Amino acid sequence: MNDINDFCYKCYVVFKYTFFEIIKSKVLMNVFLLGLGLLLICYIAYSFTYGVPERVVLDVGLGMLSLSSVGMAIFFGVGLISKEIENRTIYMILSRPISRKAFLLGRIMGMVGVLILNILILSVLTLVLYVFLGGSIQSLILISIFFSIIEAIIVLLIVVFFSLITNPTLSVIYTVVVYIIGHSISDTMINGFAKKSVIISSILNVYSVIFPNFNKLNLKDLILYKQYLPFTTFCGITTYGLVYMLFLIFITSIIFERKNLD
Amino acid sequence: MINFIEISKKFKTDFWTQYFWALENVSFEIAEGHIIGFLGANGAGKTTLIKILMGLIKTSSGRVEFSTKLGKNQKEVFSNMGLLPERPYFYPHLTGNEFIYYLGSLNNVSKIDLKQRINYWAERFKITHALERKLKTYSKGMLQRLGFISTIIHNPKMVILDEPLSGLDPIGRKEIKDSIVEINKEGRTVFFSSHIVPDVEEICKRVVFLEKGTLLYDGQIDHLIEKNMKPNYQIKYYANDEIITQEIPIVEKEEFLKKIINNNQKIISVEKLRPSLEEILYNIKTK
């Protein structure tokens, strides 16, 4: 087995058992309960809506699946590596012929698998209800779900990154802060006060280069008003998400490679 | 097989505190084919040294050299080593079988071999019935046995066991000790870390003794005991329907024995006093 094949195989092994471990921890049960809650909330929203109930259902459904996957990414992601170190399970793994990079990637991929599963289950429930109420499925809805996956993965990578350099509580707080700012940075940048001040606008510009701008991944307004998303914009946003993920994986793996596991 | 060369490691608990030395210039060799006891009180630096050996933490100075018999690069070396860490925690939602398959797969052991070896060792440790159960239902002793199986599942040339007997009942302790001797007889080198001296004395011929990060002794247990033999004899005999035990200096032995015989008292045993390893190490430590 050459080095690349071996690396991929070890990633796959870690991915497989990380995925099993999380799935067996009854997370799916929680997802189904969340799904039921989602249906209930959508039904309530539908009952109180006049005119375009299916759009409200879609808005609530997509919003909830995005929030739930981000929540899941934060609360599972924070212990993804740090718990392994704390519990010394990592010693049994890294004392075998596996590189730290392969282990890190495998763990992240396992968690990404769970996030995708969560998003798919909630998406199916939302879309079934949406179609049942007379809505028609457009490609924008599927793109929005795809971007929710990208958003959840970026949040996961951020929390894993923080968990390697600080304690779990601070990691969660920092990630939530980055997530909230990431959603409001675009609006803040076009705010009149921020535009007038050179210092503030420079800070915001620097921030938006370094930290993720989650607003780019939010297509809910576009879907609700049936606006068209040009293919180039789709490619641009996807590339932005993928590059950001690669950047986070790169710096996280460098930190993990050098970290003293004591 | 493995050479520790002037290993030092300093730690800082937080930014404001001063460094403390967990290990200071520790040098010794793990020779091939032996069971080497690695002794030291809690906090002596044993686990730190094992972490350095496995590349989990870096040294402040010094280095670890691996023999080419273990491998030419880190990947090969780690393929030939097995580590059971102290108080390991296992994935609670995986089953026993899944856990061993997980670790075995990382060592590229084929599924057929894994199955055979799991069957052998699980039967040996009487945990076959629990292999399909989630690990969160296992007792501490069962987890320790499973950890031991996962450590040797890939037939490593070198096995590092950090407090492998902690939390085990007497039967479990005996099973693991017997297994350590068995894998050593098969040709595997065992580095057995413990703070329980009698356990080490029972199964090891060589011992490395660490105290507060410094190496205090490295050598054969027999040599150490021979060197510390007291110049006394212990004589047991019957007198007035009672067993009397007396410690007599060598020079007085003959005369004392004659006296017992002349008094028509029955001698039960005459033994040269042999100190336990624990006593000797305690004396070395307090010197």
Side-chain angles (χ1 to χ4, degrees):
Chain A
M1 210 185 267
N2 69 35
D3 283 353
I4 295 172
N5 281 349
D6 187 60
F7 181 88
C8 295
Y9 174 69
K10 300 289 163 67
C11 276
Y12 164 73
V13 171
V14 178
F15 153 76
K16 180 177 154 188
Y17 287 98
T18 302
F19 183 77
F20 279 165
E21 163 71 5
I22 301 173
I23 289 297
K24 284 181 160 192
S25 67
K26 289 185 181 160
V27 68
L28 275 188
M29 183 66 83
N30 293 332
V31 172
F32 281 116
L33 285 177
L34 194 71
L36 285 177
L38 173 76
L39 289 179
L40 191 68
I41 291 169
C42 287
Y43 180 75
I44 293 168
Y46 159 77
S47 308
F48 284 98
T49 311
Y50 177 74
V52 280
E54 75 280 3
R55 284 191 187 183
V56 173
V57 165
L58 192 63
D59 192 25
V60 172
L62 291 180
M64 270 196 74
L65 84 85
S66 168
L67 274 179
S68 72
S69 51
V70 165
M72 200 181 259
I74 292 175
F75 290 105
F76 278 91
V78 72
L80 199 63
I81 304 293
S82 62
K83 249 192 185 171
E84 292 270 311
I85 300 171
E86 198 184 309
N87 295 330
R88 294 179 291 274
T89 330
I90 200 166
Y91 299 165
M92 299 191 83
I93 311 278
L94 293 184
S95 59
R96 288 162 200 271
I98 174 173
S99 68
R100 289 192 183 194
K101 281 192 188 83
F103 174 73
L104 179 74
L105 265 182
R107 291 289 291 170
I108 289 171
M109 279 158 48
M111 186 63 219
V112 166
V114 176
L115 288 176
I116 292 175
L117 191 65
N118 168 58
I119 291 174
L120 289 182
I121 290 170
L122 295 183
S123 303
V124 168
L125 286 173
T126 305
L127 292 180
V128 165
L129 192 63
Y130 174 66
V131 171
F132 180 73
L133 293 173
S136 62
I137 294 179
Q138 323 144 33
S139 59
L140 263 183
I141 297 175
L142 302 178
I143 292 171
S144 171
I145 292 168
F146 172 65
F147 284 170
S148 289
I149 292 174
I150 292 182
E151 181 186 59
I153 296 173
I154 291 176
V155 171
L156 170 72
L157 292 171
I158 291 171
V159 78
V160 170
F161 164 75
F162 281 130
S163 72
L164 288 179
I165 55 172
T166 186
N167 67 49
T169 314
L170 287 179
S171 307
V172 171
I173 293 170
Y174 292 156
T175 310
V176 171
V177 168
V178 169
Y179 177 72
I180 292 169
I181 297 178
H183 269 285
S184 49
I185 189 80
S186 299
D187 292 337
T188 316
M189 282 171 88
I190 54 167
N191 179 293
F193 175 74
K195 269 185 169 177
K196 274 181 206 162
S197 165
V198 181
I199 297 170
I200 293 176
S201 57
S202 313
I203 291 171
L204 290 174
N205 278 330
V206 171
Y207 182 93
S208 66
V209 171
I210 301 171
F211 291 92
N213 184 345
F214 290 117
N215 228 20
K216 285 187 179 171
L217 300 167
N218 186 359
L219 296 186
K220 280 182 215 74
D221 286 349
L222 270 180
I223 296 168
L224 293 178
Y225 303 108
K226 294 202 173 180
Q227 289 174 17
Y228 167 72
L229 180 74
F231 182 68
T232 48
T233 314
F234 168 75
C235 290
I237 299 171
T238 307
T239 311
Y240 173 78
L242 292 177
V243 169
Y244 209 88
M245 280 185 223
L246 288 177
F247 166 70
L248 282 170
I249 289 173
F250 177 69
I251 51 169
T252 307
S253 66
I254 287 177
I255 292 170
F256 187 56
E257 196 74 37
R258 289 158 189 243
K259 192 173 170 63
N260 269 336
L261 304 172
D262 47 11
Chain B
M1 201 164 216
I2 296 174
N3 232 335
F4 293 92
I5 302 166
E6 295 188 349
I7 303 282
S8 293
K9 177 71 186 172
K10 59 181 177 181
F11 283 111
K12 226 177 180 188
T13 44
D14 60 62
F15 186 77
W16 306 106
T17 53
Q18 289 217 318
Y19 282 108
F20 74 91
W21 291 92
L23 292 169
E24 271 185 285
N25 286 322
V26 175
S27 300
F28 66 92
E29 194 196 348
I30 300 177
E32 192 183 347
H34 295 280
I35 306 177
I36 293 124
F38 189 33
L39 277 172
N42 292 326
K46 302 186 301 290
T47 302
T48 303
L49 196 77
I50 289 174
K51 284 181 190 169
I52 287 172
L53 169 64
M54 301 313 296
L56 298 165
I57 57 174
K58 292 183 179 71
T59 60
S60 299
S61 66
R63 63 186 195 281
V64 182
E65 279 180 0
F66 296 94
S67 143
T68 45
K69 281 182 185 169
L70 275 177
K72 289 171 201 134
N73 52 42
Q74 193 186 336
K75 201 172 126 189
E76 280 182 26
V77 168
F78 280 17
S79 302
N80 288 317
M81 286 169 77
L83 167 72
L84 178 64
E86 186 186 4
R87 295 193 308 274
Y89 176 87
F90 301 89
Y91 301 103
H93 300 289
L94 292 185
T95 64
N97 253 335
E98 283 169 342
F99 182 72
I100 301 179
Y101 270 93
Y102 179 15
L103 297 183
S105 306
L106 293 176
N107 278 94
N108 299 321
V109 184
S110 71
K111 280 192 175 169
I112 300 167
D113 287 344
L114 274 174
K115 200 177 172 190
Q116 274 176 358
R117 290 175 202 170
I118 291 173
N119 285 344
Y120 171 76
W121 285 105
E123 212 157 287
R124 175 89 190 261
F125 287 137
K126 299 176 191 76
I127 56 166
T128 310
H129 64 284
L131 285 175
E132 289 306 326
R133 264 168 39 191
K134 282 189 177 184
L135 293 180
K136 66 178 179 181
T137 64
Y138 278 41
S139 69
K140 202 175 172 192
M142 287 163 86
L143 285 175
Q144 199 71 4
R145 288 170 173 93
L146 191 82
F148 186 82
I149 296 175
S150 68
T151 305
I152 54 169
I153 200 71
H154 53 291
N155 282 342
K157 289 180 182 165
M158 161 105 203
V159 179
I160 297 147
L161 307 167
D162 194 2
E163 306 282 1
L165 306 175
S166 69
L168 288 173
D169 56 26
I171 296 169
R173 293 168 72 82
K174 182 160 180 355
E175 280 172 1
I176 298 273
K177 278 192 261 188
D178 289 348
S179 306
I180 292 173
V181 173
E182 183 186 319
I183 59 170
N184 174 250
K185 278 184 184 158
E186 286 168 3
R188 286 177 239 291
T189 308
V190 181
F191 190 53
F192 172 47
S193 167
S194 175
H195 63 276
I196 313 289
V197 184
D199 287 340
V200 170
E201 195 176 1
E202 192 182 330
I203 58 170
C204 304
K205 289 209 168 93
R206 220 191 104 195
V207 67
V208 173
F209 181 47
L210 214 58
E211 173 64 15
K212 289 181 184 160
T214 323
L215 187 75
L216 287 191
Y217 181 77
D218 168 23
Q220 300 290 326
I221 293 177
D222 287 346
H223 289 178
L224 189 65
I225 289 174
E226 197 74 36
K227 226 170 86 181
N228 287 277
M229 281 279 206
K230 288 182 189 167
N232 287 359
Y233 272 88
Q234 190 186 60
I235 299 174
K236 277 186 190 174
Y237 61 97
Y238 273 119
N240 304 327
D241 287 340
E242 259 184 83
I243 297 175
I244 296 174
T245 308
Q246 213 155 335
E247 223 177 277
I248 303 292
I250 294 178
V251 285
E252 293 170 22
K253 188 186 86 177
E254 299 294 327
E255 204 176 313
F256 188 79
L257 287 175
K258 272 181 200 166
K259 208 171 109 185
I260 295 172
I261 295 165
N262 289 341
N263 289 345
N264 279 332
Q265 289 164 329
K266 196 180 167 191
I267 297 167
I268 300 169
S269 66
V270 180
E271 274 176 77
K272 200 173 177 191
L273 270 182
R274 183 187 190 274
S276 69
L277 183 62
E278 196 157 17
E279 281 174 85
I280 297 168
L281 293 178
Y282 182 75
N283 288 336
I284 294 176
K285 211 171 115 177
T286 49
K287 262 178 199 170

